[in-house]
Each structure stands twice: as structure tokens, then as C-alpha cells.
């Protein structure tokens, strides 16, 4: 086993126990951060944002630390955190409880789509939901490991595709279906740097301090399918 494989194995072992990302300053999460930067040296794909065939598709997150992006009760936290839906929508979606379960990063290199898809339990009744964050990315030749992203909006829908949006609103405590989707009046611009990437694992560091360890899947890009009018489950 070479140095890269040993570091990766050590990182995967520790995130199984601390994948929720809580308590950023614990010895465990500090060790995760050290391992991330040790592993960066061994990335298989430098100039990551130019390897379209590798990074494209749905990547499932196994470890999250939201950094200051979380705010509102989710700062430096991750999987399992309960806070307001406002926290996960840049202050735009309704002020109701939301439990973050997992997030996938979905990138379409051809269309420059950079979306997040999350599974959440929303409202006091904890209704299983899809949460979509819609964005677009660009590249800069002098920073070939960074995606430069503009976020355009957010949307939530029930995971039960037989539930009407009206019934969904009633279950989660929202009074109008128009409040389930929001387009941002001005798209915030942020960057996300790929610190490490191989054929099945990618580590990204966000501008607001978050760290994300993601794994490539055969899942569809739920956010893109939904925008194309397809039913997602």
C-alpha cells in the first residue's frame, strides 16, 4: 500500500466515526483536516476543473463541515444538524425546522451546472424532502483547481411524489406553494477548491471554510432531472 492509499484509508476510517462534522475543534476533526492536506499532495488529477469526465455527475457527500456557511445553528457542523430551513437557503426559504441528512454535488460540465441536492426532513412533522440548490460555474486558467460558482436559487419538494404540493405545504407548515421555491435577486459568487481527486473520491474546500468529502456514484443528477420535468424519488 503506497502513501496515498494509506492516507486515504486513514481518512476514510476516521470519517466513519465523525462524518457528521460536529464540534470543529475536536482532536478528531482537526485530524481530518490534517489528513486532507496531507492527501492533497497525492491528488491523481491536478488542474481538477479541467478533468470534465472525472468530476461530472452526482457525487455523494460522506463528510461535511459547513464552515461559516452554515450559520444559524449549523456553523462548523454537518450531517444530522437540525436548524432552520433559512440556513440552507441563504435566508430565502421559510423559517421552519430542517434536518440535514445528506448532500450530493451534481455538476454538468457541458451546461456549466453546479447544483447541490440534499435529502432533508422538513417541518415539525419531519417530512422527507428533496432540497435543491441551483448554481452555475466558471473556470479561471490561473486557478485550475477552483470552481467559481454563482448560486441562483433554492427549492424544496416532497420525496413522496404522490403528495401534492398543497398537501406538502400543509404538512411542513407553509401557507403557499410559491414559498417552496425562490430565485435569488442577486446571485452570490463563491469559489470551491478541489484539494484532492481520484476516480471515486473528491475533497473540496469552500470559500466560507467548509470541507466536503464526496464519492462518485451512479445516481442520476436529481436536480437536473427535476428541472427537466422528470419525477425524482
Amino acid at each position: 500500500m503506497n502513501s496515498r492509499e494509506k492516507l486515504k484509508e486513514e481518512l476514510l476510517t476516521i470519517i466513519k466515526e465523525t462524518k457528521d462534522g460536529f464540534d470543529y475543534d475536536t482532536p478528531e476533526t482537526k485530524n481530518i483536516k490534517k489528513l486532507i492536506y496531507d492527501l492533497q499532495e497525492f491528488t491523481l488529477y491536478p488542474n481538477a476543473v479541467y478533468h470534465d469526465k472525472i468530476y461530472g455527475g452526482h457525487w455523494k457527500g460522506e463528510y461535511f463541515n459547513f464552515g461559516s456557511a452554515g450559520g444559524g445553528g449549523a456553523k462548523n457542523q454537518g450531517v444530522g444538524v437540525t436548524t432552520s430551513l433559512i440556513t440552507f437557503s441563504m435566508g430565502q426559504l421559510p423559517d421552519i425546522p430542517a434536518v440535514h441528512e445528506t448532500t450530493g454535488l451534481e455538476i454538468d460540465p457541458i451546461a456549466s451546472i453546479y447544483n447541490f441536492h440534499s435529502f432533508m426532513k422538513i417541518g415539525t412533522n419531519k417530512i422527507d424532502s428533496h432540497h435543491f440548490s441551483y448554481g452555475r460555474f466558471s473556470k479561471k486558467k490561473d486557478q485550475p483547481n477552483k470552481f467559481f460558482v454563482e448560486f441562483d436559487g433554492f427549492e424544496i419538494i416532497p420525496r413522496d411524489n404522490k403528495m401534492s404540493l398543497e398537501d406538502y405545504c400543509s404538512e411542513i407548515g407553509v401557507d403557499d406553494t410559491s414559498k417552496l421555491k425562490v430565485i435569488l435577486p442577486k446571485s452570490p459568487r463563491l469559489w470551491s477548491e478541489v484539494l484532492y481527486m481520484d476516480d471515486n473520491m473528491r475533497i473540496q474546500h469552500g470559500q466560507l471554510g467548509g470541507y466536503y468529502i464526496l464519492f462518485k456514484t451512479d445516481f442520476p443528477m436529481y436536480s437536473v432531472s427535476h428541472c427537466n420535468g422528470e419525477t425524482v424519488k
Side-chain angles (χ1 to χ4, degrees), residues 106-189:
E106 303 181 336
I107 303 179
D108 181 342
I110 296 175
S112 296
I113 290 171
Y114 191 102
N115 294 346
F116 285 98
H117 165 265
S118 301
F119 287 127
M120 294 188 182
K121 292 184 180 295
I122 292 179
T124 55
N125 293 331
K126 296 184 178 179
I127 304 301
D128 289 326
S129 304
H130 296 280
H131 177 284
F132 305 108
S133 303
Y134 299 119
R136 299 164 284 117
F137 76 91
S138 59
K139 307 172 183 178
K140 295 183 180 180
K141 289 185 178 180
D142 63 337
Q143 299 187 67
N145 289 302
K146 287 183 178 179
F147 293 101
F148 292 87
V149 185
E150 296 182 63
F151 287 101
D152 297 320
F154 303 90
E155 183 176 9
I156 53 170
I157 62 171
R159 286 183 69 178
D160 180 357
N161 53 47
K162 295 180 181 178
M163 180 183 287
S164 71
L165 293 183
E166 289 76 15
D167 287 344
Y168 180 59
C169 283
S170 178
E171 288 290 333
I172 66 174
V174 172
D175 59 11
D176 194 297
T177 59
S178 66
K179 296 181 180 179
L180 302 179
K181 183 176 182 178
V182 62
I183 303 300
L184 295 172
K186 184 176 181 180
S187 299
R189 297 182 179 183

Side-chain angles (χ1 to χ4, degrees), residues 18-23 63-67 70 73-83 88 99-103 211-212:
T18 56
K19 67 178 182 179
D20 54 13
F22 290 359
D23 300 324
Y63 175 85
F64 292 89
N65 186 293
F66 292 124
K75 183 177 179 180
N76 291 329
Q77 299 190 36
V79 176
V81 64
T82 300
T83 185
F88 299 113
V99 181
H100 175 268
E101 294 189 308
T102 188
T103 292
Y211 291 90
Y212 310 87

